[in-house]
Amino acid sequence: LFVVYESAIHITTTHTHTPSPLLTGRSQMKSASLCYDLAYHGRVGGGGCGLTCDMGCSGLFDKNSDIQPAHNPGTERVVATARKLDRKLVVGYILRHHPSWTKFVEIAQGLGKPLVMRMNLNQQVKGDDWPRHIHFMKSVSPIVDCGVHYVDIMCQMTRSRPVRVHAIGARLTEEIQDTMYNYGQLQVMFEDGSVGWYEAGWGPMMSETAYFVKDVIGPKGCVSITGGKSGAESKSANTESHTIADRLKIHHSELDDKNQPKFPDEWIDLQDEPDHNELANVNNNIF
């Protein structure tokens, strides 16, 4: 059984702090995925992940905070149980297994050092999705909930250690607690001199102009995720559009004797991209 992200949203909003029936009493399960919000991770990350292994399942976790001892004291028990029962523990970000994002990372690694990485994902949230996002923000801000995945991408691109982080945030709605913010931006500096920023905002007030920026620059040129879908308006709250990489545009910095680009820009068309469920199946096939 694989619990996809959309199902986990329903579980956390309707069964808060109650272990999901999907994770109990099903010893025939091959694997289980924990994709809850961070407030639930603290209660389930150790107990639920341990339960997953105790049941004989392998475990796949949406966020790295699930398995870091500093954030979750149950981690050591989870690892010990998995080793005892010879089960796998996988930190399974969808972006780590998305073929287009894998190509994006591969090209970025060939641009030289240092890298400049510009990324964002703003969501103009409305309808039934807005109360769910308000619920998420009881425990986590947008740049933490989403940013962990994109900082992970930056680490893959640079293959270097982050050494400094700065962040700003703004509270744009009275519907969240005073200490929370629904817009934020973080900047990361790496040991090799690379820098990156990530921006995320949730709410009905968010602009859909340039809401999806995925751009990497190096001494040898740049690569960008581009195309109609990623730039279209009224798509920012559509979770399927969050991982779509319609085309990759590669620009080379080398100049000819007239200081004009020596090589034309390249376009890589990405056809038949997997949706969230197909990506979840790819994750689960690891087991």
Side-chain angles (χ1 to χ4, degrees):
L1 175 67
F2 194 92
V3 185
V4 296
Y5 182 68
E6 286 78 6
S7 299
I9 292 176
H10 174 73
I11 291 168
T12 53
T13 54
T14 57
H15 303 286
T16 304
H17 301 313
T18 302
S20 166
L22 294 173
L23 293 177
T24 58
R26 299 289 186 90
S27 59
Q28 70 271 26
M29 290 195 300
K30 177 183 177 183
S31 61
S33 172
L34 296 180
C35 306
Y36 305 92
D37 64 36
L38 291 183
Y40 206 44
H41 287 169
R43 298 283 294 275
V44 176
C49 298
L51 171 64
T52 298
C53 295
D54 289 339
M55 291 163 54
C57 298
S58 294
L60 190 148
F61 313 106
D62 178 52
K63 288 184 170 44
N64 60 2
S65 60
D66 288 324
I67 58 171
Q68 290 180 354
H71 296 163
N72 197 326
T75 298
E76 291 182 3
R77 186 181 72 82
V78 173
V79 173
T81 303
R83 287 175 173 167
K84 177 181 177 182
L85 299 177
D86 193 25
R87 294 296 181 262
K88 297 178 181 178
L89 296 177
V90 178
V91 180
Y93 308 117
I94 280 182
L95 297 185
R96 276 185 171 260
H97 300 279
H98 195 300
S100 301
W101 280 81
T102 300
K103 188 66 175 177
F104 185 43
V105 170
E106 176 188 327
I107 295 170
Q109 289 174 342
L111 296 177
K113 293 291 189 75
L115 293 176
V116 173
M117 297 159 288
R118 309 188 302 158
M119 302 186 190
N120 76 354
L121 182 55
N122 293 316
Q123 299 180 51
Q124 190 180 97
V125 185
K126 50 204 168 193
D128 292 339
D129 287 336
W130 182 225
R132 291 175 184 149
H133 283 74
I134 291 174
H135 171 77
F136 292 156
M137 287 184 283
K138 290 181 180 178
S139 58
V140 63
S141 69
I143 58 169
V144 174
D145 180 69
C146 301
V148 62
H149 302 291
Y150 293 98
V151 172
D152 178 64
I153 289 290
M154 294 179 190
C155 290
Q156 291 179 59
M157 289 175 167
T158 62
R159 291 172 288 190
S160 181
R161 188 173 67 92
V163 294
R164 186 177 302 172
V165 61
H166 305 276
I168 57 174
R171 181 173 174 266
L172 300 176
T173 175
E174 297 292 327
E175 296 183 72
I176 58 177
Q177 59 204 46
D178 293 344
T179 55
M180 182 52 69
Y181 51 96
N182 64 311
Y183 170 84
Q185 185 191 82
L186 61 85
Q187 303 88 37
V188 185
M189 299 181 67
F190 291 83
E191 200 168 44
D192 66 356
S194 297
V195 295
W197 60 257
Y198 178 75
E199 172 195 65
W202 296 345
M205 74 294 293
M206 290 305 302
S207 169
E208 291 194 315
T209 299
Y211 75 87
F212 187 98
V213 175
K214 305 294 185 292
D215 195 43
V216 183
I217 307 163
K220 297 180 181 180
C222 59
V223 59
S224 308
I225 294 178
T226 185
K229 294 177 186 175
S230 62
E233 294 189 356
S234 302
K235 296 284 187 180
S236 64
N238 181 354
T239 57
E240 291 298 339
S241 72
H242 294 173
T243 57
I244 285 176
D246 313 318
R247 293 196 296 173
L248 296 179
K249 180 181 179 181
I250 306 171
H251 172 72
H252 303 277
S253 63
E254 189 174 352
L255 302 177
D256 61 20
D257 54 4
K258 296 181 180 180
N259 282 337
Q260 296 300 314
K262 188 173 182 178
F263 303 103
D265 291 346
E266 298 177 44
W267 295 86
I268 299 178
D269 289 315
L270 306 167
Q271 303 296 326
D272 301 321
E273 289 202 312
D275 61 19
H276 267 66
N277 284 338
E278 290 172 339
L279 287 168
N281 288 333
V282 170
N283 281 330
N284 204 33
N285 286 337
I286 294 171
F287 303 119

